[in-house]
Amino acid sequence: SEMKRDEATVSNQNQQNLSSSLPGETATMKISDALKKLDCLYLLDAFEERDVRTVLDLENVLMDKLLVSSSEVKEEDDREEDKDNEEEYVKKEVIEFIAEEFCFGEMKYAEKILEETKKELMTRKRNFNEEKKEKDTRTMTFGRMYSKTFLAKTTSLYDMHMGAENMGPFLYQLCRFTKPEKVLEIGAGYTSVYLMQALRDNKKEIEVYERMREEHSCVVRNENPNGKDTPWSNEAYFSRKSEKRKTRETYEPQLHVVDNMAHAHTTAHLVKECSEELNDDDEENNFLVVHEADAFNPDLSATLAPGVQFDFLWIDLGAANRIETFLKNFWFRVKPGGYVAVHSTLTNSLSREWLEKMRMLARNGGKNADGSVSEYGVFETMSFLEPHKLFQNSFTIFQRRDAHPIDSSEYAEPVLTKFP
C-alpha cells in the first residue's frame, strides 16, 4: 500500500533508545512495533506528532483516562467486586481517546491498538493506583471550623460591632499552626469558640501523629529499599512528657476565658452554651474554663489559674486607655516564646499611642530610653490592618523572646534539620 512506510526508514527513525520501564520490568513496548504487528504502520505519524513512541509515552497522554476520578472511586470493601466494571469503564474511555487522537476516529484500529498494548497499560495503571491508594492522607488539612455546622452554630455569637468576623478564623489558624496548650482570652464572644475549636482539632491532630508514630508510618519513605526512612515528627516534642505534666498525654490544651459580661454588645454569655452544642459528641474533652471577673482587677494576674504560664494570650478589652496597665500585669504569665495578640490597636488614638511606645521598646531590644530593661524584656511585634473598616479593624501580635526581670529564661527556636 502507498500509505505504508518503508520499514527500513521507520527502523532508522527509531534507532534511539525509546524504552522505559518500571523497576523489575523489561523495556516497554515501542508503538512502532505494535503498529507493525497490526499492519497499520501508517498511523505512526499521528503518534510521533504527540511524541508517543512507547507504551509508557501512551500511558502518559492517557493518564486522565486511565485513572478513575475520586468521586467514582469505591470504598475499599467494594473495590474487589467492582474491579471488572472499573476496567471496562477505563477501556471504553481509552478506546474513544485513541480513536480521536491517533486513528482519525476509527474505533476498530483504536481497539486493536489497545488490545495489543492493554496488558502493559493496565499493569502500569494498577501499579499507579496501588501507590495512590497507599498514600497516607491522615495529616492533611482538617478541622470542624471548615464545616457548615460550625458556622451555623456560631451565628448566635456574632455581632458586627465586635469586629471579630475575620479575627475568629485568624486566631483559629494561628493556634492550629503554633499548637499552644494554655490559652487565655480576655473578652469572651465570637472568637472564643474559634480558639476552643482550634485546641480540640489540635488534640485530634496530635493523636493522629502519635498513632502514626506507633505504626512507624510518620516518616518520609526512602525510595531506595535498602535506605533508611526519614522521621517526619519532632522527637523532642513527643517525648516531653514529664512529672510536671498532669497527664501522660503529649498535648493538654485548656482555654481560660475572662469576661465581666458588661459590654453592651457582648455575646460572652452564649460562649459556654455554644461550645457545649458544638462538642456534644466529645464531653470528655471540654477544655473551656469561663471566669466571670473584672479583667482590670489588679489581683487577677496573680489569682487566675495559679501556676499556669500561657502559650497564647488574646486580649479584646475594648478599653484602649487601660491596655498598658493590663499587659504589664499579665506579661510575666506568658511563656518565653509565647504570643500575645491585642485587638483594635492601630486606628484609634488611645491604642496607637500605647502601641508606638511598644514599637519603640521592641526596636530598642526591650530597653527603656535610659538603658534599663523594661517590664517586657526582649520581644517582637507586628500589626495587621483591615483597611475597609472604621472601627475594630486591626490587631497586633507580640512575642516574648527572652530576658525578663521576674523570669530570665531565654527563648530561641530549635534548629532541627539542615534542609527545609
Side-chain angles (χ1 to χ4, degrees):
S1 171
E2 293 181 0
M3 299 181 69
K4 292 186 178 180
R5 287 186 171 199
D6 181 77
E7 291 187 9
T9 303
V10 173
S11 177
N12 289 336
Q13 290 177 342
N14 291 280
Q15 287 301 311
Q16 58 181 306
N17 182 13
L18 300 174
S19 62
S20 177
S21 60
L22 294 173
E25 291 185 336
T26 57
T28 185
M29 180 188 295
K30 295 178 181 179
I31 290 296
S32 60
D33 292 339
L35 295 180
K36 285 179 188 177
K37 190 173 183 179
L38 298 171
D39 197 28
C40 55
L41 193 58
Y42 66 91
L43 296 174
L44 187 60
D45 281 340
F47 285 90
E48 290 189 338
E49 285 176 3
R50 295 284 300 272
D51 289 325
V52 176
R53 302 175 185 274
T54 68
V55 172
L56 181 58
D57 294 334
L58 181 60
E59 176 200 21
N60 290 335
V61 298
L62 294 175
M63 187 61 69
D64 290 340
K65 301 298 178 183
L66 288 172
L67 298 178
V68 181
S69 67
S70 59
S71 62
E72 293 167 327
V73 174
K74 303 289 189 284
E75 293 296 326
E76 187 70 28
D77 293 340
D78 297 334
R79 283 185 180 175
E80 192 62 35
E81 62 186 41
D82 288 341
K83 192 174 181 180
D84 293 337
N85 292 336
E86 179 185 338
E87 293 197 359
E88 281 301 314
Y89 168 81
V90 171
K91 181 178 179 180
K92 179 176 180 294
E93 292 291 306
V94 168
I95 289 173
E96 291 177 354
F97 185 79
I98 292 175
E100 183 69 24
E101 294 292 319
F102 305 108
C103 302
F104 310 104
E106 292 287 346
M107 297 285 286
K108 62 179 181 180
Y109 291 118
E111 289 177 1
K112 288 181 179 180
I113 291 170
L114 180 60
E115 188 64 31
E116 187 64 29
T117 59
K118 185 172 79 168
K119 182 177 180 181
E120 187 169 353
L121 283 171
M122 290 303 177
T123 298
R124 291 179 180 279
K125 173 191 172 292
R126 280 194 293 270
N127 289 341
F128 186 93
N129 278 353
E130 283 300 313
E131 290 181 11
K132 185 177 180 182
K133 183 180 70 175
E134 292 173 3
K135 183 178 180 181
D136 200 326
T137 60
R138 287 178 288 177
T139 58
M140 281 184 64
T141 304
F142 76 94
R144 186 171 289 187
M145 188 196 79
Y146 303 106
S147 70
K148 292 181 179 179
T149 301
F150 181 88
L151 295 176
K153 289 192 175 183
T154 55
T155 301
S156 62
L157 293 170
Y158 177 70
D159 188 291
M160 183 181 73
H161 300 88
M162 305 305 289
E165 64 277 0
N166 294 317
M167 278 307 318
F170 184 94
L171 292 172
Y172 173 89
Q173 295 292 359
L174 181 63
C175 287
R176 288 301 309 274
F177 199 93
T178 60
K179 298 291 184 292
E181 290 188 87
K182 300 299 181 280
V183 178
L184 174 60
E185 179 182 37
I186 307 298
Y190 190 66
T191 56
S192 304
V193 289
Y194 282 87
L195 290 169
M196 179 70 176
Q197 195 59 53
L199 299 184
R200 289 174 55 79
D201 291 342
N202 279 348
K203 187 170 178 62
K204 290 180 181 178
E205 182 183 357
I206 295 302
E207 288 171 351
V208 166
Y209 267 79
E210 288 183 318
R211 286 195 296 272
M212 292 177 68
R213 284 166 56 83
E214 290 173 0
E215 299 165 4
H216 304 290
S217 61
C218 195
V219 295
V220 178
R221 299 294 183 191
N222 193 319
E223 294 182 2
N224 182 349
N226 297 320
K228 292 183 179 180
D229 295 333
T230 302
W232 182 250
S233 61
N234 179 5
E235 183 63 33
Y237 181 87
F238 287 92
S239 58
R240 62 200 178 103
K241 302 171 185 176
S242 68
E243 295 179 359
K244 293 182 180 180
R245 301 174 70 80
K246 292 182 179 179
T247 71
R248 298 295 291 173
E249 295 183 11
T250 300
Y251 186 73
E252 302 172 343
Q254 194 165 54
L255 171 61
H256 292 266
V257 177
V258 175
D259 200 289
N260 62 1
M261 313 295 179
H263 194 285
H265 298 283
T266 186
T267 53
H269 59 290
L270 300 173
V271 168
K272 197 165 187 177
E273 178 183 332
C274 183
S275 176
E276 289 172 354
E277 287 180 5
L278 283 168
N279 303 313
D280 58 4
D281 61 336
D282 191 8
E283 295 180 359
E284 292 183 4
N285 291 321
N286 192 344
F287 314 129
L288 180 64
V289 181
V290 178
H291 306 267
E292 186 172 349
D294 180 3
F296 296 108
N297 182 335
D299 297 327
L300 185 65
S301 60
T303 60
L304 179 73
V308 175
Q309 273 197 303
F310 296 100
D311 303 291
F312 181 59
L313 172 56
W314 163 236
I315 304 172
D316 193 6
L317 284 168
N321 57 325
R322 303 175 71 182
I323 184 65
E324 183 173 6
T325 300
F326 175 85
L327 190 55
K328 282 183 178 180
N329 289 338
F330 269 89
W331 187 258
F332 78 96
R333 298 293 305 272
V334 179
K335 284 183 180 179
Y339 297 92
V340 176
V342 184
H343 198 202
S344 193
T345 53
L346 288 176
T347 62
N348 64 84
S349 59
L350 292 175
S351 293
R352 184 60 171 269
E353 183 180 352
W354 163 77
L355 178 60
E356 293 303 335
K357 293 180 184 178
M358 295 296 288
R359 285 172 164 174
M360 182 63 73
L361 278 176
R363 287 194 292 268
N364 291 339
K367 294 182 178 180
N368 297 309
D370 62 3
S372 61
V373 178
S374 72
E375 296 91 336
Y376 302 101
V378 179
F379 65 94
E380 294 179 353
T381 182
M382 179 176 288
S383 297
F384 301 82
L385 174 69
E386 285 182 292
H388 63 293
K389 291 161 60 175
L390 191 61
F391 299 97
Q392 304 287 341
N393 58 5
S394 58
F395 67 96
T396 298
I397 292 181
F398 303 92
Q399 186 188 32
R400 180 180 168 189
R401 295 296 298 183
D402 59 8
H404 186 278
I406 298 176
D407 181 357
S408 59
S409 301
E410 294 189 3
Y411 175 79
E413 294 84 356
V415 176
L416 301 174
T417 62
K418 181 177 181 179
F419 299 104

